[in-house]
Amino acid sequence: MNNPLSIPRASWRAAVARPALLLCAAAALASCQPSADEKAAPLMHRIDSLYQRQAYTETLNAIRQLRDRHPQALKSRQRALHIWQEASLRLAQADIARTDSALQATIRAYEAETRIGPKNWLRVRRDSLQVRYDALCGIVRVIHRKTKK
C-alpha cells in the first residue's frame, strides 16, 4: 500500500514519533523545574529571620524584593503580606511612641516658655507633631482593619 505522501513507511513512523518523544521530554524537564514558591523559599527564609530579629525596615525591603523577583510565588507572597502588615504595624507603633514623647516634651516647653519668639516656634513644632501623631494613629487603625479581614 502506498503512503499518500509518498514517504517510506519507516521514515513516516519516525517523523511522527520524534515530535511525540520531544514533547514527552519537554514535559519531563518542565516537571523537574522548581516551582515559583520553591524559588522564593530562600528569600522567604531571610524575611522570616529579619522579622524575628525585629529588623522591620529590612524586612519590608526584603518583601519588596520578593514581590519584584518572584511575582508568581503566590503562597510566599501571601505569607509575606501578613509579615508586611505586622512589620508595618510595629514600625508605626514605635514611631507613635517617639512622636508622642516629643509632643509631650514640646507641650511642656511651650507652657513654660514666656518669650514670644520661642513660644511661636514651639507652637509650630507642637502642631506639626500633633498632625504627625494623628496620621500615625490613622495608619495603625487602617492596618488593624486590614488584618481583621
Side-chain angles (χ1 to χ4, degrees), residues 3 5-19:
N3 190 334
L5 299 175
S6 67
I7 300 174
R9 203 170 259 239
S11 298
W12 186 76
R13 283 188 184 136
V16 169
R18 188 172 298 146

Side-chain angles (χ1 to χ4, degrees), residues 15-133:
V16 169
R18 188 172 298 146
L21 181 65
L22 289 174
L23 185 62
C24 289
L29 285 175
S31 67
C32 295
Q33 295 295 322
S35 71
D37 285 311
E38 290 170 345
K39 290 177 184 177
L43 192 51
M44 275 307 300
H45 179 70
R46 181 170 169 247
I47 289 168
D48 287 332
S49 66
L50 287 169
Y51 182 75
Q52 294 302 321
R53 289 193 329 230
Q54 299 178 352
Y56 300 124
T57 304
E58 291 85 2
T59 301
L60 297 179
N61 291 337
I63 292 172
R64 283 187 196 101
Q65 287 177 355
L66 174 75
R67 289 176 180 168
D68 291 342
R69 294 180 188 169
H70 305 285
Q72 301 299 321
L74 299 180
K75 290 180 184 175
S76 297
R77 291 184 61 178
Q78 284 176 339
R79 239 178 83 218
L81 175 62
H82 177 71
I83 295 171
W84 176 278
Q85 290 171 338
E86 290 295 320
S88 296
L89 180 64
R90 303 274 192 249
L91 282 173
Q93 288 171 335
D95 206 0
I96 285 173
R98 284 190 303 273
T99 302
D100 186 48
S101 295
L103 179 60
Q104 296 305 318
T106 303
I107 289 171
R108 283 192 300 276
Y110 174 77
E111 291 170 352
E113 186 60 55
T114 57
R115 296 174 295 162
I116 297 284
K119 193 163 187 152
N120 285 341
W121 182 84
L122 287 168
R123 184 180 309 128
V124 169
R125 181 164 169 79
R126 178 199 64 193
D127 293 346
S128 174
L129 287 169
Q130 185 66 53
V131 168
R132 180 177 175 78
Y133 178 82

